[in-house]
Amino acid sequence: MSNAIEQIRTVELGTGGPLVGVQGFGAMGISAAYGETDDATARDTLAATVEAGVTLIDTADMYGAGANEEFLAPFVAAHRDEITLATKFGFEFRADDPGYRAIRNDPGYIKRAVEASLRRLNVEVIDLYYMHRRDPAVPLAESVGTLGELVREGKIKHVGLSEVTGAELREAYAVHPIAAVQSEWSLFSRDVERSAVGAAAALGVAFVPYSPLGRGLLTGAFTDASTELSSSDFRQLLPRFTGDNAKANAALLAPLHTIAADHGATAAQIALAWVQQRAQAHGLTVVPIPGTRKRSRLLENAAATRITLTAEELALLEPIAGQVAGDRYADMSLTSVGRES
């Protein structure tokens, strides 16, 4: 019997973008944000990405104040020709003040940020470089124009934006082609469908959903972050995952578990299959980037790309987002919906 891992299919990431696996990997959690980590287990999980055809590897300079990029560097060096490397700028942090955060989109900051990421990742070029969050005080033309300069200089290959509205995406695209938009999109979070998804579809821009598993709540891994997760887990700071909100949201998962049982699948796989099928629902490329620290979970997630939900099953899942208690963040001002309200 073969032990070979079945690889997922590939798609083009935006018009003229790189060819990537239809599911990517969000690397933040392997070294930051979700409590203590184990380096050996994390490296084994990273190795499984390439084996499964999960080739879009996503990080950001703010994850661990650069530590996540540094952690990825040896893996990137070993698999440089097999992966598409994405990172982000926009959150200014200071090594001497762990609590400091500011949003920076100005040209001078972008140029310093890309050099720092290139150094930490130990690469000559970044395949996909996202503006992590939008500073409305800086004209988009200036920020995106600078990113276009970096493309011409050979420091980045493609430009991405995160948490932008449909109007902002159109404005940015008029300055320079955008390969992908990254925003939260899941059974629990569908606010991007207000304008960003439609604009991306019209422009031929790929959509990269982060937290497609509702930061773990959709998997059934926990119910209340305040009592079940470690004190270093940042989900304790998010309104959806504690107290009465957490209890109410956990109760929304019944149809997810029913459908999972019918497919002989996990709740996580059904949640991911729903996100993948947004591609057909909205007419655009969708490459979700679930994160995990375990090889077994990564392979489980990748297998979700081979599940197709029926119209009846999709109808059962449709009402969930409208019933979710609590916002995605305590402060929604940095999200696209925060600028649309």
Side-chain angles (χ1 to χ4, degrees), residues 286-307:
V286 176
V287 183
I289 49 169
T292 182
R293 297 172 178 174
K294 297 180 179 179
R295 168 184 281 264
S296 61
R297 294 300 187 196
L298 184 134
L299 299 179
E300 174 188 318
N301 291 345
T305 64
R306 294 182 278 274
I307 295 174

Side-chain angles (χ1 to χ4, degrees), residues 258-270:
T258 298
I259 295 168
D262 290 343
H263 280 265
T266 65
Q269 288 176 318
I270 299 305

Side-chain angles (χ1 to χ4, degrees), residues 7-25 52-57 82-84 128 130 158 179-180 204-209 275-280 283-289 305-306:
Q7 291 208 337
I8 63 175
R9 63 186 177 88
T10 57
V11 292
E12 187 178 61
L13 195 70
T15 305
L19 201 64
V20 300
V22 73
Q23 184 182 109
F25 180 73
V54 177
T55 57
L56 177 62
I57 309 299
E82 301 167 85
I83 66 170
T84 296
L128 176 60
Y130 288 101
H158 302 280
V205 175
F207 217 95
V208 178
V275 175
Q276 298 280 182
Q277 284 182 238
R278 298 306 88 200
Q280 290 75 43
L284 78 171
T285 299
V286 176
V287 183
I289 49 169
T305 64
R306 294 182 278 274

